[in-house]
PDB file of all heavy atoms in Angstrom:
ATOM      1  N   THR A   1       0.814  -1.206   0.000  1.00  0.00           N
ATOM      2  CA  THR A   1       0.000   0.000   0.000  1.00  0.00           C
ATOM      3  C   THR A   1       0.849   1.258   0.000  1.00  0.00           C
ATOM      4  O   THR A   1       0.566   2.223  -0.728  1.00  0.00           O
ATOM      5  CB  THR A   1      -0.943   0.013   1.216  1.00  0.00           C
ATOM      6  OG1 THR A   1      -1.843  -1.102   1.116  1.00  0.00           O
ATOM      7  CG2 THR A   1      -1.739   1.299   1.295  1.00  0.00           C
ATOM      8  N   VAL A   2       1.896   1.279   0.823  1.00  0.00           N
ATOM      9  CA  VAL A   2       2.718   2.497   0.923  1.00  0.00           C
ATOM     10  C   VAL A   2       3.925   2.444  -0.012  1.00  0.00           C
ATOM     11  O   VAL A   2       4.764   3.343   0.011  1.00  0.00           O
ATOM     12  CB  VAL A   2       3.186   2.738   2.371  1.00  0.00           C
ATOM     13  CG1 VAL A   2       1.996   2.785   3.316  1.00  0.00           C
ATOM     14  CG2 VAL A   2       4.199   1.678   2.827  1.00  0.00           C
ATOM     15  N   GLU A   3       4.017   1.373  -0.806  1.00  0.00           N
ATOM     16  CA  GLU A   3       5.093   1.193  -1.782  1.00  0.00           C
ATOM     17  C   GLU A   3       6.465   1.162  -1.118  1.00  0.00           C
ATOM     18  O   GLU A   3       7.416   1.819  -1.565  1.00  0.00           O
ATOM     19  CB  GLU A   3       5.021   2.287  -2.859  1.00  0.00           C
ATOM     20  CG  GLU A   3       3.719   2.256  -3.640  1.00  0.00           C
ATOM     21  CD  GLU A   3       3.650   3.318  -4.728  1.00  0.00           C
ATOM     22  OE1 GLU A   3       4.509   4.235  -4.723  1.00  0.00           O
ATOM     23  OE2 GLU A   3       2.755   3.237  -5.576  1.00  0.00           O
ATOM     24  N   HIS A   4       6.544   0.377  -0.039  1.00  0.00           N
ATOM     25  CA  HIS A   4       7.829   0.165   0.629  1.00  0.00           C
ATOM     26  C   HIS A   4       8.496  -1.044  -0.041  1.00  0.00           C
ATOM     27  O   HIS A   4       8.321  -2.190   0.374  1.00  0.00           O
ATOM     28  CB  HIS A   4       7.624  -0.089   2.117  1.00  0.00           C
ATOM     29  CG  HIS A   4       8.865   0.065   2.941  1.00  0.00           C
ATOM     30  ND1 HIS A   4      10.007  -0.688   2.725  1.00  0.00           N
ATOM     31  CD2 HIS A   4       9.168   0.892   3.991  1.00  0.00           C
ATOM     32  CE1 HIS A   4      10.930  -0.346   3.604  1.00  0.00           C
ATOM     33  NE2 HIS A   4      10.444   0.614   4.368  1.00  0.00           N
ATOM     34  N   THR A   5       9.257  -0.790  -1.079  1.00  0.00           N
ATOM     35  CA  THR A   5       9.788  -1.844  -1.938  1.00  0.00           C
ATOM     36  C   THR A   5      10.718  -2.797  -1.196  1.00  0.00           C
ATOM     37  O   THR A   5      10.675  -4.019  -1.412  1.00  0.00           O
ATOM     38  CB  THR A   5      10.532  -1.228  -3.138  1.00  0.00           C
ATOM     39  OG1 THR A   5       9.641  -0.351  -3.834  1.00  0.00           O
ATOM     40  CG2 THR A   5      11.017  -2.314  -4.094  1.00  0.00           C
ATOM     41  N   ILE A   6      11.554  -2.274  -0.317  1.00  0.00           N
ATOM     42  CA  ILE A   6      12.516  -3.134   0.383  1.00  0.00           C
ATOM     43  C   ILE A   6      11.782  -4.136   1.263  1.00  0.00           C
ATOM     44  O   ILE A   6      12.074  -5.338   1.219  1.00  0.00           O
ATOM     45  CB  ILE A   6      13.484  -2.272   1.219  1.00  0.00           C
ATOM     46  CG1 ILE A   6      14.323  -1.380   0.319  1.00  0.00           C
ATOM     47  CG2 ILE A   6      14.384  -3.165   2.079  1.00  0.00           C
ATOM     48  CD1 ILE A   6      15.233  -0.419   1.067  1.00  0.00           C
ATOM     49  N   LEU A   7      10.834  -3.670   2.066  1.00  0.00           N
ATOM     50  CA  LEU A   7      10.084  -4.580   2.930  1.00  0.00           C
ATOM     51  C   LEU A   7       9.307  -5.585   2.094  1.00  0.00           C
ATOM     52  O   LEU A   7       9.298  -6.784   2.406  1.00  0.00           O
ATOM     53  CB  LEU A   7       9.135  -3.784   3.821  1.00  0.00           C
ATOM     54  CG  LEU A   7       8.240  -4.617   4.753  1.00  0.00           C
ATOM     55  CD1 LEU A   7       9.064  -5.459   5.721  1.00  0.00           C
ATOM     56  CD2 LEU A   7       7.264  -3.717   5.511  1.00  0.00           C
ATOM     57  N   LYS A   8       8.675  -5.126   1.042  1.00  0.00           N
ATOM     58  CA  LYS A   8       7.893  -6.019   0.179  1.00  0.00           C
ATOM     59  C   LYS A   8       8.766  -7.124  -0.404  1.00  0.00           C
ATOM     60  O   LYS A   8       8.398  -8.306  -0.390  1.00  0.00           O
ATOM     61  CB  LYS A   8       7.229  -5.216  -0.937  1.00  0.00           C
ATOM     62  CG  LYS A   8       6.373  -6.051  -1.881  1.00  0.00           C
ATOM     63  CD  LYS A   8       5.769  -5.167  -2.964  1.00  0.00           C
ATOM     64  CE  LYS A   8       5.017  -6.000  -3.991  1.00  0.00           C
ATOM     65  NZ  LYS A   8       4.446  -5.145  -5.077  1.00  0.00           N
ATOM     66  N   ASN A   9       9.921  -6.774  -0.899  1.00  0.00           N
ATOM     67  CA  ASN A   9      10.805  -7.761  -1.528  1.00  0.00           C
ATOM     68  C   ASN A   9      11.315  -8.787  -0.520  1.00  0.00           C
ATOM     69  O   ASN A   9      11.437  -9.979  -0.839  1.00  0.00           O
ATOM     70  CB  ASN A   9      11.976  -7.059  -2.209  1.00  0.00           C
ATOM     71  CG  ASN A   9      11.560  -6.299  -3.450  1.00  0.00           C
ATOM     72  OD1 ASN A   9      10.469  -6.511  -3.988  1.00  0.00           O
ATOM     73  ND2 ASN A   9      12.412  -5.401  -3.913  1.00  0.00           N
ATOM     74  N   VAL A  10      11.631  -8.337   0.683  1.00  0.00           N
ATOM     75  CA  VAL A  10      12.089  -9.263   1.717  1.00  0.00           C
ATOM     76  C   VAL A  10      10.989 -10.254   2.059  1.00  0.00           C
ATOM     77  O   VAL A  10      11.233 -11.459   2.202  1.00  0.00           O
ATOM     78  CB  VAL A  10      12.545  -8.491   2.971  1.00  0.00           C
ATOM     79  CG1 VAL A  10      12.758  -9.450   4.140  1.00  0.00           C
ATOM     80  CG2 VAL A  10      13.830  -7.722   2.687  1.00  0.00           C
ATOM     81  N   ILE A  11       9.767  -9.769   2.185  1.00  0.00           N
ATOM     82  CA  ILE A  11       8.647 -10.651   2.528  1.00  0.00           C
ATOM     83  C   ILE A  11       8.403 -11.661   1.417  1.00  0.00           C
ATOM     84  O   ILE A  11       8.195 -12.858   1.686  1.00  0.00           O
ATOM     85  CB  ILE A  11       7.382  -9.827   2.806  1.00  0.00           C
ATOM     86  CG1 ILE A  11       7.554  -9.020   4.088  1.00  0.00           C
ATOM     87  CG2 ILE A  11       6.154 -10.724   2.912  1.00  0.00           C
ATOM     88  CD1 ILE A  11       6.463  -8.002   4.340  1.00  0.00           C
ATOM     89  N   VAL A  12       8.426 -11.219   0.176  1.00  0.00           N
ATOM     90  CA  VAL A  12       8.214 -12.137  -0.947  1.00  0.00           C
ATOM     91  C   VAL A  12       9.264 -13.240  -0.938  1.00  0.00           C
ATOM     92  O   VAL A  12       8.946 -14.432  -1.073  1.00  0.00           O
ATOM     93  CB  VAL A  12       8.252 -11.369  -2.286  1.00  0.00           C
ATOM     94  CG1 VAL A  12       8.306 -12.346  -3.464  1.00  0.00           C
ATOM     95  CG2 VAL A  12       7.032 -10.458  -2.410  1.00  0.00           C
ATOM     96  N   GLN A  13      10.512 -12.883  -0.745  1.00  0.00           N
ATOM     97  CA  GLN A  13      11.579 -13.881  -0.761  1.00  0.00           C
ATOM     98  C   GLN A  13      11.459 -14.861   0.395  1.00  0.00           C
ATOM     99  O   GLN A  13      11.597 -16.076   0.228  1.00  0.00           O
ATOM    100  CB  GLN A  13      12.943 -13.205  -0.723  1.00  0.00           C
ATOM    101  CG  GLN A  13      14.103 -14.174  -0.858  1.00  0.00           C
ATOM    102  CD  GLN A  13      14.037 -15.002  -2.123  1.00  0.00           C
ATOM    103  OE1 GLN A  13      13.962 -14.454  -3.228  1.00  0.00           O
ATOM    104  NE2 GLN A  13      14.020 -16.333  -1.983  1.00  0.00           N
ATOM    105  N   ARG A  14      11.190 -14.344   1.590  1.00  0.00           N
ATOM    106  CA  ARG A  14      11.110 -15.232   2.748  1.00  0.00           C
ATOM    107  C   ARG A  14       9.877 -16.125   2.686  1.00  0.00           C
ATOM    108  O   ARG A  14       9.929 -17.297   3.083  1.00  0.00           O
ATOM    109  CB  ARG A  14      11.097 -14.419   4.043  1.00  0.00           C
ATOM    110  CG  ARG A  14      12.340 -13.605   4.277  1.00  0.00           C
ATOM    111  CD  ARG A  14      13.610 -14.437   4.133  1.00  0.00           C
ATOM    112  NE  ARG A  14      13.844 -15.257   5.295  1.00  0.00           N
ATOM    113  CZ  ARG A  14      14.374 -16.479   5.281  1.00  0.00           C
ATOM    114  NH1 ARG A  14      14.706 -17.032   4.128  1.00  0.00           N
ATOM    115  NH2 ARG A  14      14.589 -17.149   6.393  1.00  0.00           N
ATOM    116  N   ALA A  15       8.773 -15.626   2.164  1.00  0.00           N
ATOM    117  CA  ALA A  15       7.584 -16.467   2.009  1.00  0.00           C
ATOM    118  C   ALA A  15       7.863 -17.612   1.040  1.00  0.00           C
ATOM    119  O   ALA A  15       7.449 -18.754   1.270  1.00  0.00           O
ATOM    120  CB  ALA A  15       6.406 -15.624   1.523  1.00  0.00           C
ATOM    121  N   LYS A  16       8.561 -17.330  -0.033  1.00  0.00           N
ATOM    122  CA  LYS A  16       8.934 -18.397  -0.972  1.00  0.00           C
ATOM    123  C   LYS A  16       9.877 -19.390  -0.315  1.00  0.00           C
ATOM    124  O   LYS A  16       9.729 -20.613  -0.481  1.00  0.00           O
ATOM    125  CB  LYS A  16       9.579 -17.796  -2.221  1.00  0.00           C
ATOM    126  CG  LYS A  16       8.604 -17.046  -3.119  1.00  0.00           C
ATOM    127  CD  LYS A  16       9.318 -16.473  -4.341  1.00  0.00           C
ATOM    128  CE  LYS A  16       8.337 -15.747  -5.269  1.00  0.00           C
ATOM    129  NZ  LYS A  16       9.027 -15.176  -6.450  1.00  0.00           N
ATOM    130  N   ASP A  17      10.851 -18.888   0.431  1.00  0.00           N
ATOM    131  CA  ASP A  17      11.780 -19.769   1.125  1.00  0.00           C
ATOM    132  C   ASP A  17      11.038 -20.715   2.074  1.00  0.00           C
ATOM    133  O   ASP A  17      11.347 -21.903   2.163  1.00  0.00           O
ATOM    134  CB  ASP A  17      12.794 -18.948   1.938  1.00  0.00           C
ATOM    135  CG  ASP A  17      13.724 -18.125   1.075  1.00  0.00           C
ATOM    136  OD1 ASP A  17      13.870 -18.433  -0.117  1.00  0.00           O
ATOM    137  OD2 ASP A  17      14.298 -17.155   1.602  1.00  0.00           O
ATOM    138  N   PHE A  18      10.071 -20.163   2.795  1.00  0.00           N
ATOM    139  CA  PHE A  18       9.376 -20.926   3.821  1.00  0.00           C
ATOM    140  C   PHE A  18       8.348 -21.907   3.258  1.00  0.00           C
ATOM    141  O   PHE A  18       8.187 -23.014   3.772  1.00  0.00           O
ATOM    142  CB  PHE A  18       8.658 -19.979   4.790  1.00  0.00           C
ATOM    143  CG  PHE A  18       9.549 -19.112   5.614  1.00  0.00           C
ATOM    144  CD1 PHE A  18       9.132 -17.839   6.000  1.00  0.00           C
ATOM    145  CD2 PHE A  18      10.803 -19.541   6.032  1.00  0.00           C
ATOM    146  CE1 PHE A  18       9.941 -17.024   6.787  1.00  0.00           C
ATOM    147  CE2 PHE A  18      11.626 -18.736   6.815  1.00  0.00           C
ATOM    148  CZ  PHE A  18      11.186 -17.469   7.180  1.00  0.00           C
ATOM    149  N   TYR A  19       7.618 -21.483   2.208  1.00  0.00           N
ATOM    150  CA  TYR A  19       6.372 -22.175   1.881  1.00  0.00           C
ATOM    151  C   TYR A  19       6.242 -22.711   0.455  1.00  0.00           C
ATOM    152  O   TYR A  19       5.338 -23.505   0.189  1.00  0.00           O
ATOM    153  CB  TYR A  19       5.188 -21.231   2.120  1.00  0.00           C
ATOM    154  CG  TYR A  19       5.137 -20.623   3.494  1.00  0.00           C
ATOM    155  CD1 TYR A  19       5.101 -19.229   3.662  1.00  0.00           C
ATOM    156  CD2 TYR A  19       5.114 -21.410   4.637  1.00  0.00           C
ATOM    157  CE1 TYR A  19       5.036 -18.660   4.923  1.00  0.00           C
ATOM    158  CE2 TYR A  19       5.054 -20.843   5.904  1.00  0.00           C
ATOM    159  CZ  TYR A  19       5.016 -19.465   6.034  1.00  0.00           C
ATOM    160  OH  TYR A  19       4.960 -18.900   7.288  1.00  0.00           O
ATOM    161  N   GLN A  20       7.114 -22.322  -0.457  1.00  0.00           N
ATOM    162  CA  GLN A  20       6.860 -22.631  -1.862  1.00  0.00           C
ATOM    163  C   GLN A  20       6.802 -24.130  -2.144  1.00  0.00           C
ATOM    164  O   GLN A  20       6.077 -24.574  -3.040  1.00  0.00           O
ATOM    165  CB  GLN A  20       7.907 -21.983  -2.772  1.00  0.00           C
ATOM    166  CG  GLN A  20       7.557 -22.101  -4.255  1.00  0.00           C
ATOM    167  CD  GLN A  20       7.981 -20.893  -5.050  1.00  0.00           C
ATOM    168  OE1 GLN A  20       8.932 -20.209  -4.681  1.00  0.00           O
ATOM    169  NE2 GLN A  20       7.297 -20.595  -6.130  1.00  0.00           N
ATOM    170  N   ASN A  21       7.514 -24.932  -1.395  1.00  0.00           N
ATOM    171  CA  ASN A  21       7.552 -26.367  -1.661  1.00  0.00           C
ATOM    172  C   ASN A  21       6.621 -27.179  -0.761  1.00  0.00           C
ATOM    173  O   ASN A  21       6.671 -28.408  -0.761  1.00  0.00           O
ATOM    174  CB  ASN A  21       8.989 -26.894  -1.514  1.00  0.00           C
ATOM    175  CG  ASN A  21       9.919 -26.309  -2.567  1.00  0.00           C
ATOM    176  OD1 ASN A  21       9.512 -26.060  -3.694  1.00  0.00           O
ATOM    177  ND2 ASN A  21      11.161 -26.072  -2.196  1.00  0.00           N
ATOM    178  N   ASP A  22       5.780 -26.516  -0.005  1.00  0.00           N
ATOM    179  CA  ASP A  22       4.869 -27.231   0.897  1.00  0.00           C
ATOM    180  C   ASP A  22       3.754 -27.927   0.126  1.00  0.00           C
ATOM    181  O   ASP A  22       3.262 -27.420  -0.888  1.00  0.00           O
ATOM    182  CB  ASP A  22       4.250 -26.256   1.900  1.00  0.00           C
ATOM    183  CG  ASP A  22       5.236 -25.809   2.963  1.00  0.00           C
ATOM    184  OD1 ASP A  22       6.326 -26.397   3.038  1.00  0.00           O
ATOM    185  OD2 ASP A  22       4.903 -24.873   3.712  1.00  0.00           O
ATOM    186  N   GLU A  23       3.335 -29.082   0.629  1.00  0.00           N
ATOM    187  CA  GLU A  23       2.270 -29.869   0.008  1.00  0.00           C
ATOM    188  C   GLU A  23       1.385 -30.479   1.091  1.00  0.00           C
ATOM    189  O   GLU A  23       1.819 -30.701   2.223  1.00  0.00           O
ATOM    190  CB  GLU A  23       2.857 -31.008  -0.835  1.00  0.00           C
ATOM    191  CG  GLU A  23       3.737 -30.566  -1.994  1.00  0.00           C
ATOM    192  CD  GLU A  23       4.304 -31.757  -2.757  1.00  0.00           C
ATOM    193  OE1 GLU A  23       3.968 -32.909  -2.401  1.00  0.00           O
ATOM    194  OE2 GLU A  23       5.082 -31.525  -3.693  1.00  0.00           O
ATOM    195  N   ASN A  24       0.141 -30.737   0.701  1.00  0.00           N
ATOM    196  CA  ASN A  24      -0.786 -31.528   1.514  1.00  0.00           C
ATOM    197  C   ASN A  24      -0.860 -31.057   2.970  1.00  0.00           C
ATOM    198  O   ASN A  24      -0.597 -31.813   3.904  1.00  0.00           O
ATOM    199  CB  ASN A  24      -0.397 -33.008   1.460  1.00  0.00           C
ATOM    200  CG  ASN A  24      -0.517 -33.565   0.053  1.00  0.00           C
ATOM    201  OD1 ASN A  24      -1.474 -33.284  -0.659  1.00  0.00           O
ATOM    202  ND2 ASN A  24       0.470 -34.351  -0.354  1.00  0.00           N
ATOM    203  N   CYS A  25      -1.239 -29.814   3.159  1.00  0.00           N
ATOM    204  CA  CYS A  25      -1.381 -29.299   4.519  1.00  0.00           C
ATOM    205  C   CYS A  25      -2.528 -30.023   5.231  1.00  0.00           C
ATOM    206  O   CYS A  25      -3.632 -30.130   4.682  1.00  0.00           O
ATOM    207  CB  CYS A  25      -1.667 -27.800   4.475  1.00  0.00           C
ATOM    208  SG  CYS A  25      -1.538 -27.001   6.080  1.00  0.00           S
ATOM    209  N   PRO A  26      -2.313 -30.529   6.428  1.00  0.00           N
ATOM    210  CA  PRO A  26      -3.332 -31.345   7.123  1.00  0.00           C
ATOM    211  C   PRO A  26      -4.402 -30.481   7.787  1.00  0.00           C
ATOM    212  O   PRO A  26      -4.515 -30.424   9.011  1.00  0.00           O
ATOM    213  CB  PRO A  26      -2.501 -32.111   8.149  1.00  0.00           C
ATOM    214  CG  PRO A  26      -1.356 -31.210   8.461  1.00  0.00           C
ATOM    215  CD  PRO A  26      -1.039 -30.502   7.168  1.00  0.00           C
ATOM    216  N   ILE A  27      -5.219 -29.804   6.997  1.00  0.00           N
ATOM    217  CA  ILE A  27      -6.221 -28.910   7.554  1.00  0.00           C
ATOM    218  C   ILE A  27      -7.266 -29.660   8.374  1.00  0.00           C
ATOM    219  O   ILE A  27      -7.903 -29.093   9.261  1.00  0.00           O
ATOM    220  CB  ILE A  27      -6.898 -28.083   6.432  1.00  0.00           C
ATOM    221  CG1 ILE A  27      -7.649 -26.895   7.035  1.00  0.00           C
ATOM    222  CG2 ILE A  27      -7.790 -28.951   5.556  1.00  0.00           C
ATOM    223  CD1 ILE A  27      -8.108 -25.880   6.004  1.00  0.00           C
ATOM    224  N   ALA A  28      -7.424 -30.960   8.119  1.00  0.00           N
ATOM    225  CA  ALA A  28      -8.365 -31.769   8.902  1.00  0.00           C
ATOM    226  C   ALA A  28      -7.929 -31.874  10.353  1.00  0.00           C
ATOM    227  O   ALA A  28      -8.749 -32.203  11.221  1.00  0.00           O
ATOM    228  CB  ALA A  28      -8.511 -33.160   8.294  1.00  0.00           C
ATOM    229  N   TRP A  29      -6.665 -31.631  10.641  1.00  0.00           N
ATOM    230  CA  TRP A  29      -6.178 -31.677  12.020  1.00  0.00           C
ATOM    231  C   TRP A  29      -6.457 -30.370  12.761  1.00  0.00           C
ATOM    232  O   TRP A  29      -6.215 -30.283  13.961  1.00  0.00           O
ATOM    233  CB  TRP A  29      -4.675 -31.942  12.029  1.00  0.00           C
ATOM    234  CG  TRP A  29      -4.309 -33.318  11.569  1.00  0.00           C
ATOM    235  CD1 TRP A  29      -5.151 -34.328  11.212  1.00  0.00           C
ATOM    236  CD2 TRP A  29      -2.984 -33.826  11.413  1.00  0.00           C
ATOM    237  NE1 TRP A  29      -4.445 -35.435  10.830  1.00  0.00           N
ATOM    238  CE2 TRP A  29      -3.104 -35.157  10.951  1.00  0.00           C
ATOM    239  CE3 TRP A  29      -1.716 -33.301  11.609  1.00  0.00           C
ATOM    240  CZ2 TRP A  29      -1.995 -35.966  10.697  1.00  0.00           C
ATOM    241  CZ3 TRP A  29      -0.610 -34.104  11.353  1.00  0.00           C
ATOM    242  CH2 TRP A  29      -0.746 -35.414  10.904  1.00  0.00           C
ATOM    243  N   GLU A  30      -6.909 -29.362  12.070  1.00  0.00           N
ATOM    244  CA  GLU A  30      -7.193 -28.076  12.699  1.00  0.00           C
ATOM    245  C   GLU A  30      -8.653 -28.036  13.166  1.00  0.00           C
ATOM    246  O   GLU A  30      -9.505 -28.704  12.574  1.00  0.00           O
ATOM    247  CB  GLU A  30      -6.956 -26.939  11.703  1.00  0.00           C
ATOM    248  CG  GLU A  30      -5.522 -26.836  11.205  1.00  0.00           C
ATOM    249  CD  GLU A  30      -5.347 -25.667  10.239  1.00  0.00           C
ATOM    250  OE1 GLU A  30      -6.243 -24.794  10.174  1.00  0.00           O
ATOM    251  OE2 GLU A  30      -4.331 -25.636   9.533  1.00  0.00           O
ATOM    252  N   PRO A  31      -8.966 -27.205  14.158  1.00  0.00           N
ATOM    253  CA  PRO A  31      -8.037 -26.391  14.928  1.00  0.00           C
ATOM    254  C   PRO A  31      -7.528 -27.121  16.159  1.00  0.00           C
ATOM    255  O   PRO A  31      -8.128 -28.109  16.604  1.00  0.00           O
ATOM    256  CB  PRO A  31      -8.917 -25.214  15.359  1.00  0.00           C
ATOM    257  CG  PRO A  31     -10.270 -25.833  15.557  1.00  0.00           C
ATOM    258  CD  PRO A  31     -10.367 -26.917  14.518  1.00  0.00           C
ATOM    259  N   SER A  32      -6.425 -26.628  16.707  1.00  0.00           N
ATOM    260  CA  SER A  32      -5.997 -27.062  18.028  1.00  0.00           C
ATOM    261  C   SER A  32      -6.908 -26.405  19.068  1.00  0.00           C
ATOM    262  O   SER A  32      -7.732 -25.549  18.739  1.00  0.00           O
ATOM    263  CB  SER A  32      -4.536 -26.686  18.273  1.00  0.00           C
ATOM    264  OG  SER A  32      -3.685 -27.415  17.402  1.00  0.00           O
ATOM    265  N   GLY A  33      -6.729 -26.749  20.327  1.00  0.00           N
ATOM    266  CA  GLY A  33      -7.690 -26.409  21.363  1.00  0.00           C
ATOM    267  C   GLY A  33      -7.977 -24.946  21.566  1.00  0.00           C
ATOM    268  O   GLY A  33      -9.087 -24.576  21.947  1.00  0.00           O
ATOM    269  N   PHE A  34      -6.980 -24.062  21.318  1.00  0.00           N
ATOM    270  CA  PHE A  34      -7.261 -22.629  21.438  1.00  0.00           C
ATOM    271  C   PHE A  34      -6.590 -21.833  20.325  1.00  0.00           C
ATOM    272  O   PHE A  34      -6.070 -20.749  20.534  1.00  0.00           O
ATOM    273  CB  PHE A  34      -6.890 -22.082  22.825  1.00  0.00           C
ATOM    274  CG  PHE A  34      -5.615 -22.601  23.412  1.00  0.00           C
ATOM    275  CD1 PHE A  34      -4.392 -22.140  22.980  1.00  0.00           C
ATOM    276  CD2 PHE A  34      -5.647 -23.545  24.427  1.00  0.00           C
ATOM    277  CE1 PHE A  34      -3.212 -22.613  23.536  1.00  0.00           C
ATOM    278  CE2 PHE A  34      -4.477 -24.022  24.992  1.00  0.00           C
ATOM    279  CZ  PHE A  34      -3.250 -23.546  24.545  1.00  0.00           C
TER     280      PHE A  34
END
């Protein structure tokens, strides 16, 4: 929204690092108790 390019680019890269190769999330196990 505020066009903060540095923050945006860091978030994009880290999200890809963390999640891009994830598969078959066990949503049936959700939610935990709280």
